[in-house]
Amino acid sequence: MSHSRRFRVLAVAVLAAATAFPAVPAVASTAGTALTWQPCAGVPEPDQGLQCTTMSAPLDYARPSGEKVTLAFSRLPSADPAKRRGVLVLNPGSQGDSQLALPLQLLALGLPQAVRDTYDLIAFDPRGAGNSTRVTCDLPVTFMIPPAYAVTDAGVDTQAAVARQNAEGCAAAPSAPLLPHITVRNVARDLDGIRAALGERRISFLGYSFGAFLGATYATMYPHRTDRVVLDSSTGPGGLDYTWSRRFASGFEKHFPDFAAWAAAQDATYGLGSTPEAVKAKYFALAAKLDQTPVETVDGATFRWINEALTQSDATFPLLAQVWQQAGNGTIARPPLPPGFDFSGLLAIVCNMDGWPKDVEVYRHAVAEDRARYPMLGAAAANVWACAFWPAQKTEPQVRITDRGPSNILMVQNLRDNGTDYPGGVEMRAALGHRAELLTVDQGGHRAYLFGTNACANAAVARYLAEGVRPAGDAFCPA
C-alpha cells in the first residue's frame, strides 16, 4: 500500500472510515423490498462472494409516499448455512467514500471463522454518503476534522470564515434539500428498513465510532429488533457533538505518549529524540516552525491534524515518524485524497446533531481554555465547525439514548482513544444502564476490535458475537 493511500486510510480523523479496498460502484436499484443481488464490481477479491444491491427509502419519514433516497448495501453470506444465526450489520464509523467492501476488510483483519459462519455480514452506506444518495457541499481539499489549530485568537476568526464557507457550500449545492433529513434518527430508520428487506426479525450489529452511536440509537429506537450488539469506540450519549470534538484534544494527549515512547526507542532510525520528553518537545518545535513557514500545502495546523490522524493506530507510527523527518527537512507535502472522497455527508450528520453552539464567542472562549489545558491539539478540537452556521432546520429532536430494552449490548473502549475519548464511552455506558457491559482495553488508538492487537479484547468480542457470551459485568483487558 502506498504512503498516500495509507495516509488516507488513517487520516480520516474520527472517523474511522478506513478501508483497504476501493469504493464499490452502485448497482441498479430494486423495487420495493424485492432485492436483486449482484456481484460487487470493483472488489479485488470477487471470488469471496460479496454481493451488492440497493433499495429506496423515504427522504422524509413523515411523508413516506414522497421523495425517496437510495440506500446501497452489501452482503457476504455465511460461510456455513447450517451454523447461520442471522445477519451482522457493520458500520465502520464516519466515512468519505463507500464502505460496501467492509466485510472483506474485516476478514483481512482476522475476523474469526466462528463469526463468519454465524452471520451474513451486511455493510451499508448511510444516506448522504458513499453509493447511497449523496450530499455534496463542494468542501475544499484542506477540510479537516477536527478543524484548524488556532495559534492565536485571530485563528478563531479565520476558521469561522472557513466554517461559514463550508456551510454556505452545503446550502448552495443541488443536494441542499436533503440536508434536514440527513440525521442519525433517519439512518437508524433506514437500517430498520434494510432489516425488513432482508427478511430478518432481528439484527446483530457491530459499529465503530459514529457507527457505535448509530448502534446505540438503533437499539434505543428498536430495542426488541436487536440481537447481539457491539459498540466499539463510543462517543458520549450526545453523539458527534461539540463535546466529542473538544475531546479529540484530551484523547490525543493521552495517546501521544505511546508514540513518544516508541519514537524514542527508534531514535537511531528516525532521529526524533532519545527520550519521550525530547520527542514531545520536537512536536512543538516542528509545529511552531510550520506555523511561521509553511511548506507547500502543510502549515502548523495541517501538521497537527496529520499527527492526530496518524496516531489513531499504532500501526502508522512509522509513517508518522517519516512525516516528522519530512517536516524537519522541508520536504513535507499533504497527500491528496482519492477522487470522489467527500466528507459532506458526514458533515451533514454531525451538524444535524444537538449541542453545537451558534455563537463564535463560545468557540473563542473554548479555544483559549483548551489551548492552555491541551496545548498539543486543544486549539484545534475546540475551534469552529460549519455547524455554527448550519443552514438546515431540525425537523425532529435527536434520539435520547436510554436503558429501556434487553441487556444485549457489549461496549468495548480503548483507554487511550484519540478519536472517541474514553470518558465518552463511560458516559454512554451510564446512559445504556443495565443494557450494556463495558470492556475497557489497555491500548491506544481509535477502534479496538480487530483494528487493535489486544488479544483479550479481540477474543471477548468474537466470543460474544459467535456464542452470545458477554463478560459477567464490566471488565478490563490488560495490555
Side-chain angles (χ1 to χ4, degrees):
M1 183 181 291
S2 69
H3 282 178
S4 62
R5 176 63 171 165
R6 292 180 66 196
F7 175 84
R8 198 277 295 176
V9 166
L10 288 141
V12 183
V14 138
L15 309 171
T19 176
F21 300 96
V24 180
V27 296
S29 297
T30 57
T33 57
L35 301 177
T36 301
W37 296 98
Q38 301 179 10
C40 296
V43 175
E45 302 173 66
D47 58 331
Q48 293 198 49
L50 189 69
Q51 305 166 333
C52 285
T53 192
T54 63
M55 61 176 281
S56 64
L59 171 64
D60 181 354
Y61 277 89
R63 300 174 57 247
S65 299
E67 187 177 348
K68 306 295 184 184
V69 294
T70 296
L71 306 176
F73 53 107
S74 64
R75 175 179 69 180
L76 187 64
S78 163
D80 188 345
K83 297 179 181 178
R84 181 187 183 277
R85 179 180 178 87
V87 299
L88 176 64
V89 178
L90 312 169
N91 186 283
S94 48
Q95 63 186 74
D97 56 5
S98 178
Q99 293 293 303
L100 298 188
L102 181 60
L104 300 185
Q105 184 193 7
L106 295 187
L107 289 185
L109 289 172
L111 186 76
Q113 189 65 40
V115 178
R116 174 81 173 82
D117 292 342
T118 304
Y119 302 100
D120 295 347
L121 303 180
I122 307 294
F124 75 104
D125 289 336
R127 59 172 59 201
N131 288 337
S132 294
T133 297
R134 298 187 71 161
V135 168
T136 56
C137 295
D138 195 25
L139 296 175
V141 296
T142 53
F143 181 80
M144 287 186 281
I145 298 174
Y149 190 97
V151 178
T152 66
D153 188 59
V156 178
D157 296 319
T158 300
Q159 176 57 29
V162 170
R164 185 184 293 274
Q165 290 177 340
N166 294 158
E168 290 173 348
C170 293
S175 59
L178 303 176
L179 294 179
H181 308 289
I182 308 299
T183 65
V184 182
R185 183 187 286 269
N186 279 338
V187 175
R189 287 166 170 153
D190 295 341
L191 175 54
D192 199 56
I194 292 172
R195 174 201 60 78
L198 292 170
E200 299 291 331
R201 186 170 62 88
R202 296 184 301 171
I203 60 171
S204 291
F205 186 86
L206 168 60
Y208 299 88
S209 194
F210 162 74
F213 182 62
L214 170 62
T217 301
Y218 183 86
T220 298
M221 293 175 66
Y222 307 102
H224 298 292
R225 295 178 187 172
T226 58
D227 188 11
R228 299 168 182 170
V229 177
V230 176
L231 308 181
D232 190 312
S233 306
S234 292
T235 67
L240 278 67
D241 56 9
Y242 189 43
T243 298
W244 158 76
S245 180
R246 291 182 72 175
R247 282 175 170 166
F248 273 108
S250 53
F252 183 73
E253 296 259 359
K254 292 170 186 172
H255 190 210
F256 183 83
D258 290 359
F259 171 74
W262 176 89
Q266 303 292 324
D267 186 49
T269 301
Y270 298 105
L272 305 182
S274 59
T275 67
E277 293 76 16
V279 174
K280 187 173 184 179
K282 190 170 186 67
Y283 170 89
F284 286 111
L286 290 172
K289 175 183 176 181
L290 289 165
D291 285 334
Q292 297 297 320
T293 310
V295 176
E296 294 188 21
T297 58
V298 177
D299 57 7
T302 305
F303 175 75
R304 294 177 178 90
W305 172 74
I306 291 172
N307 275 265
E308 202 290 324
L310 292 182
T311 51
Q312 290 205 2
S313 170
D314 291 6
T316 49
F317 283 177
L319 182 57
L320 180 57
Q322 293 170 31
V323 168
W324 282 36
Q325 289 179 319
Q326 294 164 1
N329 62 30
T331 61
I332 187 173
R334 179 176 178 144
L337 294 174
F341 195 88
D342 189 356
F343 275 134
S344 298
L346 169 63
L347 188 62
I349 284 277
V350 170
C351 290
N352 279 328
M353 292 194 190
D354 297 336
W356 286 100
K358 300 298 183 182
D359 186 349
V360 172
E361 292 307 311
V362 174
Y363 293 92
R364 193 186 311 280
H365 176 79
V367 165
E369 182 179 84
D370 286 2
R371 186 190 295 116
R373 289 198 303 168
Y374 307 113
M376 303 189 82
L377 198 69
N383 214 346
V384 188
W385 283 62
C387 309
F389 312 102
W390 195 241
Q393 297 297 315
K394 288 185 171 62
T395 59
E396 55 189 338
Q398 185 170 318
V399 174
R400 184 175 69 87
I401 306 301
T402 74
D403 63 355
R404 293 190 294 273
S407 180
N408 62 349
I409 299 172
L410 174 61
M411 297 179 59
V412 56
Q413 196 93 9
N414 288 338
L415 272 176
R416 299 179 302 283
D417 183 335
N418 54 311
T420 49
D421 194 13
Y422 183 76
V426 174
E427 292 166 5
M428 180 65 84
R429 166 71 180 86
L432 290 167
H434 79 99
R435 299 199 63 187
E437 305 292 357
L438 173 62
L439 180 63
T440 298
V441 187
D442 186 4
Q443 71 179 355
H446 188 46
R447 298 183 296 184
Y449 181 56
L450 299 179
F451 290 88
T453 59
N454 188 285
C456 166
N458 287 339
V461 174
R463 189 180 185 200
Y464 179 53
L465 290 174
E467 303 173 28
V469 179
R470 280 189 309 175
D474 293 345
F476 180 77
C477 278

